[in-house]
């Protein structure tokens, strides 16, 4: 096939050819011994970008799946009840990870392409008077189906129910 092949999904996005060529260097292995020296300068730069004057910057070298696992295991414990929905490949994998990590997963299966079922979430949160649900998961952008879920509506459902679960 002649020319450049492009991936037409919400991310990664296409970049100008001049920028792409400037980045045309071998990839750095996030597990290589040389990786820390590559990242040292990024810590100060990241502080500037986020206007962080006193906090500490962390760079987490992993895939998105590694970030999911880190987020889940740093705020939840095995046995915690979580509210999730499955409506595409990312949400399917997220539910699978939560189950493998030992969470009690209350999962709602929705037709792929429909997005987070806010009305079902609202009903389940309102019914959870004992606040057993510790976290509510919302896959914002489901690349496999091109759907974007309404995260703000999920936040509103939590607030309307007076529910303390993490979003």
């Amino acid at each position: 096939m002649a020319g450049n092949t492009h991936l037409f999904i919400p991310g990664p996005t296409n970049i100008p050819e001049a920028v792409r060529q400037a980045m045309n260097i071998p990839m750095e292995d996030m597990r290589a011994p040389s990786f820390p020296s590559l990242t040292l300068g990024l810590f100060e730069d990241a502080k500037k970008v986020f206007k962080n004057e006193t906090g500490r910057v962390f760079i987490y070298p992993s895939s998105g799946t590694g970030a999911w696992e880190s987020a889940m295991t740093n705020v939840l414990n095995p046995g915690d009840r979580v509210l999730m929905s499955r409506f595409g490949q990312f949400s399917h994998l997220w539910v699978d990870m939560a189950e493998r990590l030992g969470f009690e997963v209350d999962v709602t299966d929705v037709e792929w392409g429909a997005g987070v079922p806010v009305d079902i979430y609202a009903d389940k949160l309102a019914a959870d008077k004992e606040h057993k649900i510790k976290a509510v998961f919302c896959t914002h952008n489901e690349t496999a189906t091109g759907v974007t879920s309404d995260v703000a509506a999920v936040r509103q459902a939590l607030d309307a129910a007076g529910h303390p679960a993490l979003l």
Side-chain angles (χ1 to χ4, degrees):
M1 172 187 255
N4 294 325
T5 303
H6 294 283
L7 182 61
F8 293 101
I9 60 173
T13 60
N14 295 321
I15 57 174
E17 183 63 16
V19 173
R20 192 194 64 74
Q21 286 190 9
M23 297 186 321
N24 195 14
I25 60 172
M27 284 183 44
E28 294 285 338
D29 181 355
M30 65 185 177
R31 297 170 190 92
S34 61
F35 191 73
S37 63
L38 169 72
T39 63
L40 287 176
L42 300 176
F43 289 97
E44 285 306 313
D45 292 345
K47 283 180 106 170
K48 290 176 193 170
V49 168
F50 294 105
K51 298 179 181 170
N52 176 359
E53 295 178 12
T54 59
R56 186 168 180 188
V57 173
F58 291 88
I59 296 176
Y60 191 79
S62 80
S63 64
T65 306
W68 293 350
E69 184 174 1
S70 175
M72 289 179 175
T73 58
N74 278 286
V75 299
L76 296 166
N77 295 306
D80 281 350
R81 186 172 181 80
V82 298
L83 182 58
M84 304 180 93
S85 52
R86 198 168 22 209
F87 51 89
Q89 187 60 25
F90 283 131
S91 56
H92 173 78
L93 293 172
W94 214 0
V95 168
D96 178 62
M97 180 178 285
E99 290 172 341
R100 286 184 289 117
L101 290 171
F103 304 132
E104 182 187 330
V105 182
D106 180 344
V107 63
T108 300
D109 284 301
V110 181
E111 182 177 339
W112 280 36
V116 169
V118 177
D119 53 340
I120 294 172
Y121 274 24
D123 291 344
K124 288 185 177 192
L125 290 164
D128 184 26
K129 301 297 183 192
E130 296 179 22
H131 299 154
K132 290 186 177 183
I133 297 171
K134 300 299 179 194
V136 177
F137 288 77
C138 177
T139 302
H140 180 247
N141 183 3
E142 186 59 77
T143 307
T145 61
V147 70
T148 299
S149 292
D150 190 348
V151 179
V154 175
R155 174 76 262 162
Q156 290 168 354
L158 278 156
D159 293 345
H163 205 291
L166 297 170
L167 172 59

